[in-house]
Amino acid sequence: MKGEMEGKWKIAGALIAAVLVSSVFAVMVPAALGKVVSVPVSTKQPWTANEGDKAFIDLSEAGTYTVLIGQTLNFSETGHTIIGVTPDDIEGKAYGTTSYNYDTESWFTVEGIYHVEGTNVNLSVTKPIFEIDVEEAFAAYSDTGASQQPTVAKASEYVKAGADILVIETGYDVENSVCNVLDELGYTYDFYDWDIWDVPPSINYSQYDVVIQASDGGMVSGTNMDELAAFVAGGGKLIYLGGSYSSNVVSDIDTYLLDVDTTNYYWTTVTGTPHLQVVNSTHPLAAGLPASYNFSDVNATYYMLRITDATATVVAENGDGYPALVTKNIGSGVLIWFINSPAEDYWTWASDYSILKTIIRNALEYGVEAEPEVSVSTNTWEYSPGDIMIVSYDITNPTDSALTLDIYVGIPQFHFWREIRTLSIPPGYDGMYNMSILVGNWGGAPFALVWYAQLHSGADIEATDAATCIYSPSTLAKATNMPLTNVISDLGLRKSQFQAASAA
């Protein structure tokens, strides 16, 4: 079932087992409004129970159809205005126009009779018989074991964790899809549940590095596209998932974020195959994605946005030939858009969920600047007099400033540490430094050496690493016999050779 409103009706599995859904939705309507044509309703999994199937409404057949708030209606003809009849507070008001994917929950909040203009058809609208609070979690439910078990939903409020990531939910719930992914990836985030009829929230987007707007509908009373565009232009990252079948939303997307088709934006599942196909396999956003994929739950293919922006980089397309995963630079920031609905009910299959998780993970990592690194290693573990000890430093400085590399050697057993080398690492450097040391007679007692390196910019340590090895003499003696001056001398004698190799 396709929905565009937060707060889907939910019911625990034990409850629906005792309810014959098809027998409880009969309503009384005035005879003058015509005959009652029942719309089939079938029991669903707990999180979609009582919302009903996608119901076909044949406008050539006069009568009154019983529909539920929460159903998707497939009208045989599009473009007919739906007008309220009774009760008084809906009389004469327009409630959208007929479409192949008319979402009742986006339009109907009042039970009553609605008329489809230009036809002899009425809609008798009623709510599901059960309502359950989102906090009641049905967490113990599992269907056939083939899909991922839902987890307890988070509270529907603005949850501020002081994080660098903000998740905005508009329309349908995403706690068990998008939020689960972030939890599993180890990210902390603030969470805002934007109810369908609420005005745009007052959020200081500049306090975040990343905003994830996860939308299956919503934003009826206004959008935040202008603020999101300013956030991205100022250097932020916007990850947009899904969309909303509202003309004001589509218009503002086209105005502020990227070019889209502003006349064709109805929700539909993908009819072509494969459902998702990577068209730019070398792009970082494609990392880990299969070359092509068909979703186990076709509802996971629901989309409404047709992207036409020639400046956007297309990473993947859907089976209908539309860009499905794109990225675009706006100012000094980046926009990433995955057009499939993020609604949690569509991502219960483990294989489908893995696709969503990969896309979100790649989006979070995309554009993140590489950090300086240093890795220390030795050519072997054990050294004796006469061996050549080679200590290697694999160094990366992807920044645009020079960094300093400090190299230390330590013998913890004898409380000995010495800085033996300081190097300037130029910006953009990615290479290896090696130093070789002829192991002399360092005494008759074995001991361990620790090679420690740190990259820093002033007092800020950027990266560190260490490697250990052991000195193992042929003839053992007491540890107090170690000629420390010999070790220092050998290290010092090889310093000039290391300097020459570093300069080369």
Side-chain angles (χ1 to χ4, degrees):
M1 203 289 295
K2 179 71 199 71
E4 283 205 353
M5 178 175 178
E6 180 278 327
K8 293 292 186 184
W9 307 114
K10 300 180 179 72
I11 182 170
L15 182 58
I16 63 169
V19 177
L20 297 177
V21 179
S22 60
S23 66
V24 296
F25 291 106
V27 296
M28 298 300 294
V29 297
L33 290 175
K35 65 180 180 179
V36 175
V37 182
S38 297
V39 177
V41 177
S42 63
T43 301
K44 296 287 190 179
Q45 293 98 328
W47 56 89
T48 57
N50 296 332
E51 292 170 355
D53 288 336
K54 183 175 181 180
F56 178 72
I57 307 295
D58 187 353
L59 296 178
S60 66
E61 183 177 354
T64 299
Y65 289 79
T66 301
V67 302
L68 304 176
I69 298 177
Q71 281 185 302
T72 298
L73 305 181
N74 179 9
F75 289 93
S76 61
E77 299 175 22
T78 63
H80 293 271
T81 302
I82 300 175
I83 301 295
V85 176
T86 184
D88 292 344
D89 55 352
I90 69 169
E91 183 179 0
K93 296 179 181 179
Y95 292 87
T97 58
T98 59
S99 70
Y100 299 130
N101 286 277
Y102 183 93
D103 178 26
T104 61
E105 206 156 30
S106 290
W107 294 105
F108 299 145
T109 58
V110 177
E111 298 179 78
I113 303 300
Y114 298 76
H115 176 65
V116 181
E117 282 195 330
T119 73
N120 292 316
V121 169
N122 293 292
L123 307 175
S124 178
V125 177
T126 184
K127 288 184 178 180
I129 58 169
F130 293 106
E131 298 178 17
I132 191 165
D133 189 84
V134 71
E135 297 296 326
E136 298 185 42
F138 55 83
Y141 174 80
S142 178
D143 50 9
T144 63
S147 60
Q148 177 179 306
Q149 179 174 321
T151 57
V152 177
K154 296 176 175 60
S156 295
E157 58 186 19
Y158 193 4
V159 180
K160 289 184 67 63
D164 296 328
I165 299 174
L166 170 65
V167 177
I168 302 175
E169 170 190 288
T170 79
Y172 209 173
D173 295 340
V174 300
E175 287 90 341
N176 292 324
S177 52
V178 177
C179 293
N180 267 6
V181 166
L182 295 175
D183 292 339
E184 292 173 3
L185 293 175
Y187 288 98
T188 58
Y189 52 91
D190 293 352
F191 180 79
Y192 186 87
D193 185 348
W194 182 353
D195 193 25
I196 186 171
W197 298 110
D198 287 350
V199 297
S202 177
I203 296 176
N204 178 16
Y205 293 103
S206 64
Q207 66 186 303
Y208 298 101
D209 295 331
V210 179
V211 173
I212 302 175
Q213 184 137 329
S215 300
D216 184 298
M219 295 177 285
V220 173
S221 302
T223 80
N224 59 343
M225 302 305 165
D226 55 342
E227 294 180 286
L228 290 178
F231 163 74
V232 178
K237 179 189 292 185
L238 171 61
I239 302 172
Y240 211 117
L241 308 173
S244 176
Y245 178 54
S246 294
S247 59
N248 63 317
V249 177
V250 177
S251 176
D252 283 355
I253 291 172
D254 185 69
T255 299
Y256 296 106
L257 293 175
L258 78 171
D259 297 337
V260 298
D261 190 335
T262 57
T263 60
N264 181 17
Y265 50 87
Y266 60 90
W267 283 104
T268 183
T269 55
V270 173
T271 57
T273 57
H275 293 154
L276 186 70
Q277 181 161 1
V278 173
V279 296
N280 191 344
S281 60
T282 61
H283 197 281
L285 290 176
L289 289 176
S292 61
Y293 182 77
N294 286 315
F295 289 90
S296 298
D297 184 347
V298 72
N299 288 327
T301 72
Y302 262 118
Y303 72 99
M304 49 69 56
L305 204 65
R306 280 73 168 172
I307 298 172
T308 60
D309 199 318
T311 66
T313 299
V314 180
V315 178
E317 295 180 348
N318 65 18
D320 295 341
Y322 293 107
L325 177 60
V326 305
T327 182
K328 175 184 177 180
N329 293 330
I330 301 176
S332 58
V334 62
L335 165 67
I336 300 164
W337 206 303
F338 180 52
I339 66 173
N340 291 40
S341 166
E344 61 186 35
D345 295 354
Y346 304 153
W347 300 95
T348 60
W349 284 81
S351 55
D352 297 347
Y353 178 80
S354 178
I355 297 295
L356 180 66
K357 184 175 182 179
T358 299
I359 289 173
I360 293 176
R361 182 195 65 213
N362 290 348
L364 288 167
E365 295 176 354
Y366 178 60
V368 176
E369 293 185 1
E371 297 181 353
E373 295 182 2
V374 59
S375 177
V376 186
S377 61
T378 57
N379 60 322
T380 189
W381 163 246
E382 184 176 2
Y383 298 93
S384 298
D387 291 340
I388 300 295
M389 178 186 296
I390 299 176
V391 187
S392 299
Y393 302 85
D394 189 356
I395 304 165
T396 302
N397 177 16
T399 72
D400 55 6
S401 302
L403 298 177
T404 300
L405 176 69
D406 297 328
I407 298 174
Y408 296 81
V409 64
I411 306 175
Q413 184 176 345
F414 295 99
H415 308 289
F416 168 79
W417 283 98
R418 173 163 292 192
E419 181 179 3
I420 64 170
R421 188 70 175 105
T422 299
L423 296 173
S424 178
I425 308 301
Y429 181 83
D430 185 1
M432 185 82 70
Y433 286 119
N434 295 316
M435 57 184 296
S436 63
I437 302 166
L438 176 61
V439 178
N441 180 12
W442 293 350
F447 57 85
L449 293 94
V450 178
W451 297 98
Y452 170 81
Q454 64 181 25
L455 272 175
H456 64 94
S457 175
D460 297 328
I461 304 298
E462 303 290 344
T464 64
D465 195 31
T468 60
C469 59
I470 61 171
Y471 168 72
S472 180
S474 303
T475 304
L476 297 180
K478 292 183 179 180
T480 53
N481 291 342
M482 170 194 159
L484 192 59
T485 55
N486 288 1
V487 180
I488 297 172
S489 176
D490 286 345
L491 294 176
L493 288 174
R494 306 306 296 178
K495 185 187 297 185
S496 62
Q497 296 178 11
F498 174 51
Q499 289 171 330
S502 299

